[in-house]
Amino acid sequence: MEKTEKRELLSLTPKELEELLLSLGEPKYRAGQIFPQLHKGLSPGEMTNIGKVTRAKLDAVAFYHLPRVKRKLVSALDGTIKYLFELTDGNCVESVLMHYEHGTTICISTQVGCNMGCKFCASTIGGKVRNLTSGELLGQVIAAGKDSGESIGGVVMMGIGEPLDNFDAVLRFLDLVNRPEGVNIGYRHISLSTCGLVDKIDRLAAQKLPITLSISLHAADDETRSAIMPINKKYSIATLLDACKRYFAATGRRISFEYTLISGKNDSRESAEKLALLLNRSLRTRSETMPIHVNLIPVNEVKESGFQRSGAKAVKAFAAVLEKNGIRATTRRTLGADINASCGQLRKETAATEAALHE
């Protein structure tokens, strides 16, 4: 007789949980008792509102596992918390809990590693190991909230991995995290960042979800972008911006463009003028004016890339050029600077340390 693979409880919708319980001979109303508890960080074995028999039935066919806190760094500067979470198979991902005036937001990972190969990013070193399940995505939010004791009101999908390269799990996560009987984080408080998988942007647009889409642009011409972002060789800037126009037409949601400033590479006044011209010509016409916002990000200095971050004067000058050309520009506030809060670095550092210990 074949062994049936256990189902992941955190990946189930309330309807799917009802169906599972019915298949076990349990009344479907049990789903209403169990689902909220799962999303509060309680395993069936810890629940006091269901009996031992029900818990045993669930344990036989399903599992519940929150990522384990393997390492935790807390910034002395601003209270940012960086987590290295260990998954059931021993792989690790990173999440960052950030504090803003409007509340607490978590940046989560969507894959173990990444295949996109962006030259400035620590997450892509070593490539992609595997996709995360929707339950592992949700588990980062729940585990961080449970460990910190904080109420998390926003999610940024900008950690390790390319979210749209894990499309189905990400879409299910968005549904689950938005559920009012669960974590209840509204779509408008969720941002998804992509390096520009055009086919998946179109698929996401068809969902018409009121999330914020962030495009990692980082250059205003194909030659420069292809040199630091291999995905540009498949989807040119013009192709990507066309997809952005379709996304805006379908959803009405403003798109944010991320631009990592690398000293001597893409941070000159000329680069700023070129970026302003590109965005205005591509996204603004007489018949339609698409709102444009550029988020400037001084590059995180990763040893393997050799890139250096732009100075404050260069960042300010770049932003001024964009503003002069009618493009709203903000510079991302650096959080957790004393704990290297950008994703990918802690995972890489921990893996290297463990490898050295086993030599």
Side-chain angles (χ1 to χ4, degrees):
M1 187 174 180
E2 283 189 20
K3 185 178 179 181
T4 304
E5 187 174 335
K6 287 189 175 185
R7 299 183 70 179
E8 184 182 33
L9 288 172
L10 266 185
S11 285
L12 301 181
T13 65
K15 179 66 175 174
E16 290 168 338
L17 185 56
E18 281 183 6
E19 292 169 354
L20 177 62
L21 287 162
L22 285 171
S23 74
L24 298 174
E26 293 285 326
K28 68 178 184 180
Y29 72 78
R30 290 258 188 264
Q33 297 175 313
I34 295 170
F35 187 87
Q37 300 298 308
L38 296 173
H39 288 230
K40 287 177 182 176
L42 294 178
S43 68
E46 297 171 301
M47 296 178 191
T48 57
N49 61 344
I50 58 174
K52 289 182 180 179
V53 173
T54 304
R55 295 199 296 264
K57 287 180 181 178
L58 279 174
D59 186 57
V61 299
F63 70 94
Y64 181 82
H65 180 82
L66 290 180
R68 181 181 74 84
V69 179
K70 186 166 185 175
R71 288 187 66 187
K72 175 182 176 182
L73 304 177
V74 182
S75 171
L77 300 175
D78 50 43
T80 296
I81 304 174
K82 184 168 186 175
Y83 289 102
L84 183 69
F85 284 126
E86 185 175 49
L87 308 173
T88 53
D89 61 359
N91 278 303
C92 293
V93 293
E94 296 173 30
S95 304
V96 181
L97 206 59
M98 303 167 288
H99 305 97
Y100 298 97
E101 288 183 7
H102 59 266
T104 301
T105 292
I106 186 169
C107 177
I108 66 169
S109 296
T110 55
Q111 298 175 314
V112 179
C114 182
N115 261 348
M116 296 299 109
C118 299
K119 304 301 183 187
F120 50 82
C121 182
S123 299
T124 197
I125 297 170
K128 185 179 86 172
V129 178
R130 68 171 176 88
N131 287 327
L132 298 188
T133 66
S134 55
E136 289 171 330
L137 300 177
L138 185 60
Q140 294 171 69
V141 182
I142 296 170
K146 191 175 181 180
D147 177 80
S148 67
E150 298 189 37
S151 176
I152 298 174
V155 176
V156 179
M157 309 185 79
M158 203 179 290
I160 297 172
E162 162 57 54
L164 295 186
D165 189 40
N166 188 13
F167 190 89
D168 292 336
V170 163
L171 202 62
R172 177 172 283 258
F173 161 76
L174 291 172
D175 174 35
L176 290 168
V177 79
N178 182 248
R179 296 276 178 164
E181 62 269 54
V183 176
N184 194 25
I185 296 177
Y187 286 132
R188 294 181 185 276
H189 299 287
I190 300 174
S191 295
L192 184 154
S193 175
T194 177
C195 66
L197 303 184
V198 167
D199 57 333
K200 302 294 176 58
I201 291 173
D202 286 332
R203 283 183 65 189
L204 185 63
Q207 303 297 319
K208 293 183 166 42
L209 299 175
I211 64 172
T212 297
L213 180 66
S214 295
I215 301 293
S216 295
L217 191 58
H218 309 315
D221 64 86
D222 284 325
E223 183 180 0
T224 303
R225 192 167 192 263
S226 293
I228 58 175
M229 300 183 71
I231 191 64
N232 197 72
K233 296 170 185 176
K234 182 174 184 180
Y235 299 116
S236 68
I237 291 176
T239 302
L240 175 57
L241 294 182
D242 281 344
C244 290
K245 287 191 286 187
R246 294 192 296 272
Y247 185 90
F248 178 70
T251 67
R253 295 286 291 167
R254 184 198 75 181
I255 295 173
S256 177
F257 292 92
E258 297 160 4
Y259 193 98
T260 294
L261 289 162
I262 305 169
S263 182
K265 293 282 185 184
N266 64 354
D267 65 341
S268 66
R269 181 182 181 85
E270 181 186 6
S271 294
E273 294 281 6
K274 189 182 291 187
L275 179 63
L277 184 64
L278 169 74
L279 294 177
N280 280 325
R281 282 186 174 177
S282 301
L283 304 177
R284 288 174 169 167
T285 64
R286 289 183 180 179
S287 60
E288 185 176 49
T289 301
M290 179 175 165
I292 304 173
H293 172 238
V294 175
N295 190 18
L296 299 174
I297 311 166
V299 72
N300 289 300
E301 295 183 354
V302 178
K303 182 177 67 175
E304 287 83 354
S305 74
F307 292 151
Q308 293 183 323
R309 65 171 46 209
S310 303
K313 187 176 179 180
V315 175
K316 188 175 180 180
F318 199 99
V321 170
L322 296 180
E323 294 281 359
K324 185 192 73 175
N325 284 278
I327 294 174
R328 181 168 175 258
T330 55
T331 302
R332 181 184 292 174
R333 177 180 156 209
T334 301
L335 295 173
D338 56 330
I339 58 171
N340 286 329
S342 62
C343 271
Q345 292 173 303
L346 185 57
R347 172 176 171 261
K348 180 170 68 70
E349 172 194 313
T350 302
T353 300
E354 290 182 345
L357 288 173
H358 287 91
E359 282 182 357

